[in-house]
Amino acid sequence: VALKCMLNFNVPPVKNSIGEPVWKVLIYDRFGQDIISPLLSVKELRDMGITLHLLLHSDRDAIPDVPAVYFVMPTEENIDRICQDLRNQLYESYYLNFISAISRSKLEDIASAAIGANAVTQVAKVFDQYLNFITLEDDMFVLCNQNKELVSYRAINRPDITDTEMETIMDTIVDSLFCFFVTLGGIPIIRCSRGTAAEMVAVKLDKKLRENLRDARNSLFTGDTLGAGQFSFQRPLLVLVDRNIDLATPLHHTWTYQALVHDVLDFHLNRVNLEESTGTESSQAGARPKKKNKKSYDLTASDKFWQKHKGSPFPEVAESVQQELESYRAQEDEVKRLKSIMGIEGEDEGAISMLSDNTAKLTSAVSSLPELLEKKRLIDLHTNVATAVLEHIKSRKLDVYFEYEEKIMSKSTLDKSLLDMISDPDAGTPEDKMRLFLIYYISSAQAPSEIDLEQYKKALMDAGCNLAPLSYIKQWK
């Protein structure tokens, strides 16, 4: 909603207005691109009057009679580039939207550039959008995608981190969370685990929220823009926990559809990239190797099958794809049958009388065609994605890993020894084996004895594992 409002020049879009949208250009940076792409498709952007969407730092031609909506982070390079655009008089008017709040000094830089370029009247609006987070689903968002290794688990926990670096990471996280609550329009009750990075984030966020509320006139949480305003009693609860509380889960091999796609395929901001092999050119001895086609699919909220099955265990998903395919084929046959009836030459009277009976049927068949095509597209998409996942499961025996790890984590009795799993050459990649052993190591009540550990280490080395993760976890434990 916030993005649509922004693309409509920061005026909430009016329902049922028949007027043409105002044509405009959207200029974003990589951060803006990541925020918009999971939420709005190219078609939706076009419906809102966006004719072109371009990266800020690409070579852009002047389009003098079109307004431009900018959606960028307030960084030095971005501000410089905007000032340059003003000097070059690229667009008719400029609506500057900053993903995070822009500082006073940077605003003054833009102002002086606008005065220098004689473009003050063209800068229509400057907005802080507070949208520095990426929404992937109705109930899930992530903080960042560009430079995400800068705020990763590793970044926070590496031994040589300096205080200033830690402050920067915490500020990045706090800024995103603050943006999230501004957009949500609610002030959270914050709970955190003590003595961890989570507490640092909580303290900083608390301070930032309080400072904002102190200045009642400029508070982001008052006024009509945000629903019930700050004094509603329904305050969201924000629970901040440190990853160290539960290190086994991210290593765990999964068994539900969405988690498997994320684990074994290249799945990023709701888009999955697949490599499809198209078969060899010819089967002679000099045959060329298979050519790889890259395909990407969007798995979004509008995809009914994905919504329904993303949390289902994988075998169920495979079955459902099959059922969908069968029901689609039945519908397709019906349309084909009607088409063949319509193809009859109109000489004899039988054909004419059949026509009038079938016109009604045909009309309904034709009106259901777009729906049928969309169904076909989704079936193809999920057949391809599920097949790719299945290949990984088969080649790496992921079902065996999943069951074995479940037993370790739930402290059940194990049916075969861990050493057998690690030394089985057909089961999984070295990384799979390392993940399995780390889960065992983290979850076991007492650490394995030195003699056992040496044995495991040797087996892991033979399997081609890198032992660095083990030494980290050992020290951590």
Side-chain angles (χ1 to χ4, degrees):
V1 173
L3 283 174
K4 284 184 171 169
C5 174
M6 175 190 89
L7 295 174
N8 200 30
F9 304 123
N10 292 300
V11 184
V14 186
K15 290 251 161 58
N16 316 332
S17 58
I18 312 151
E20 279 283 293
V22 181
W23 300 115
K24 48 197 170 283
V25 187
L26 171 64
I27 312 291
Y28 46 41
D29 60 358
R30 292 257 175 243
F31 290 93
Q33 190 179 21
D34 286 346
I35 292 170
I36 291 174
S37 73
L39 293 173
L40 297 171
S41 65
V42 176
K43 180 187 174 302
E44 287 173 287
L45 287 176
R46 193 163 298 128
D47 293 344
M48 299 189 62
I50 304 286
T51 46
L52 267 184
H53 37 96
L54 305 162
L55 280 166
L56 178 66
H57 291 283
S58 58
D59 295 327
R60 290 173 282 119
D61 300 326
I63 313 177
D65 44 3
V66 170
V69 175
Y70 284 74
F71 184 52
V72 296
M73 283 296 252
T75 58
E76 287 290 333
E77 310 87 346
N78 287 353
I79 302 290
D80 291 348
R81 187 61 192 256
I82 291 173
C83 295
Q84 194 183 320
D85 288 355
L86 290 172
R87 287 189 209 99
N88 298 346
Q89 300 193 340
L90 288 189
Y91 307 109
E92 177 195 53
S93 53
Y94 303 84
Y95 291 79
L96 306 179
N97 297 280
F98 294 103
I99 298 174
S100 250
I102 182 171
S103 65
R104 181 72 201 239
S105 61
K106 286 185 180 141
L107 259 181
E108 285 167 3
D109 295 345
I110 296 180
S112 55
I115 292 168
N118 204 358
V120 179
T121 50
Q122 289 163 303
V123 179
K125 289 181 182 171
V126 180
F127 269 85
D128 288 335
Q129 287 293 349
Y130 293 102
L131 289 175
N132 189 10
F133 57 95
I134 299 171
T135 307
L136 297 178
E137 292 172 19
D138 287 351
D139 304 324
M140 182 169 89
F141 67 98
V142 291
L143 295 191
C144 69
N145 180 46
Q146 297 294 323
N147 323 341
K148 64 178 170 204
E149 60 285 347
L150 298 180
V151 292
S152 61
Y153 174 85
R154 189 180 161 274
I156 296 174
N157 289 285
R158 48 173 234 271
D160 55 347
I161 187 167
T162 61
D163 284 357
T164 49
E165 286 174 313
M166 192 67 165
E167 287 288 320
T168 315
I169 294 175
M170 296 297 127
D171 287 340
T172 311
I173 295 174
V174 168
D175 182 62
S176 287
L177 288 174
F178 182 73
C179 288
F180 174 73
F181 284 108
V182 171
T183 306
L184 190 68
I187 295 161
I189 295 164
I190 306 176
R191 296 278 176 267
C192 64
S193 42
R194 290 196 173 272
T196 58
E199 189 178 21
M200 288 176 69
V201 172
V203 170
K204 278 181 175 288
L205 181 60
D206 179 68
K207 186 169 162 225
K208 192 160 180 158
L209 287 164
R210 284 174 195 280
E211 279 170 5
N212 188 270
L213 287 173
R214 195 167 299 139
D215 179 1
R217 281 170 316 174
N218 295 326
S219 172
L220 296 162
F221 293 97
T222 49
D224 51 353
T225 48
L226 295 160
Q230 82 202 65
F231 302 113
S232 70
F233 290 102
Q234 291 293 321
R235 284 175 61 189
L237 175 67
L238 172 65
V239 181
L240 292 164
V241 281
D242 205 278
R243 179 74 267 172
N244 282 328
I245 285 179
D246 170 25
L247 262 185
T249 302
L251 299 167
H252 186 20
H253 287 88
T254 51
W255 197 233
T256 56
Y257 191 27
Q258 184 178 29
L260 271 167
V261 171
H262 184 262
D263 191 4
V264 302
L265 304 178
D266 172 15
F267 182 52
H268 215 56
L269 296 183
N270 292 351
R271 171 169 294 171
V272 61
N273 295 310
L274 291 183
E275 280 192 349
E276 295 186 331
S277 49
T278 52
T280 47
E281 300 276 300
S282 62
S283 54
Q284 278 86 34
R288 291 188 191 161
K290 293 184 175 182
K291 241 171 71 184
K292 296 276 187 178
N293 270 351
K294 274 208 154 46
K295 283 227 162 149
S296 64
Y297 302 108
D298 289 321
L299 298 171
T300 56
S302 58
D303 179 338
K304 300 270 193 313
F305 187 88
W306 177 246
Q307 288 307 83
K308 190 173 169 192
H309 293 291
K310 62 186 179 191
S312 311
F314 189 72
E316 274 180 35
V317 175
E319 239 169 78
S320 307
V321 173
Q322 195 55 44
Q323 286 165 4
E324 291 278 319
L325 191 59
E326 280 158 19
S327 83
Y328 166 75
R329 283 199 177 126
Q331 269 178 293
E332 196 183 35
D333 290 345
E334 176 65 4
V335 174
K336 277 188 183 144
R337 198 176 64 77
L338 287 166
K339 275 189 186 160
S340 70
I341 293 173
M342 296 305 281
I344 295 173
E345 276 62 54
E347 259 93 276
D348 57 345
E349 305 198 338
I352 306 285
S353 66
M354 267 166 85
L355 266 182
S356 54
D357 288 346
N358 282 302
T359 312
K361 282 189 189 171
L362 192 77
T363 316
S364 77
V366 169
S367 61
S368 66
L369 260 179
E371 200 179 307
L372 212 63
L373 289 171
E374 174 62 9
K375 201 168 184 180
K376 173 95 170 75
R377 187 186 72 81
L378 290 182
I379 292 170
D380 289 349
L381 184 163
H382 288 287
T383 307
N384 290 342
V385 173
T387 309
V389 171
L390 187 63
E391 279 168 13
H392 278 277
I393 294 177
K394 279 184 182 158
S395 66
R396 290 160 56 182
K397 295 195 178 171
L398 295 182
D399 46 341
V400 183
Y401 275 99
F402 167 71
E403 283 173 23
Y404 201 84
E405 288 166 6
E406 284 283 284
K407 285 180 180 159
I408 293 177
M409 289 164 84
S410 60
K411 312 263 189 286
S412 324
T413 48
L414 302 172
D415 49 0
K416 66 191 251 196
S417 84
L418 190 62
L419 266 177
D420 292 350
M421 284 283 290
I422 293 171
S423 40
D424 176 356
D426 299 331
T429 59
E431 190 183 77
D432 290 327
K433 296 180 178 185
M434 196 66 199
R435 280 164 63 176
L436 171 69
F437 186 70
L438 289 180
I439 290 177
Y440 165 71
Y441 194 87
I442 292 167
S443 308
S444 55
Q446 72 253 40
S449 66
E450 282 300 317
I451 306 162
D452 290 353
L453 195 61
E454 282 311 311
Q455 233 184 332
Y456 284 128
K457 272 189 179 169
K458 184 177 179 319
L460 287 165
M461 294 272 285
D462 294 344
C465 299
N466 169 8
L467 293 184
L470 177 56
S471 45
Y472 174 79
I473 291 289
K474 196 175 164 189
Q475 187 189 344
W476 169 84
K477 189 152 178 165

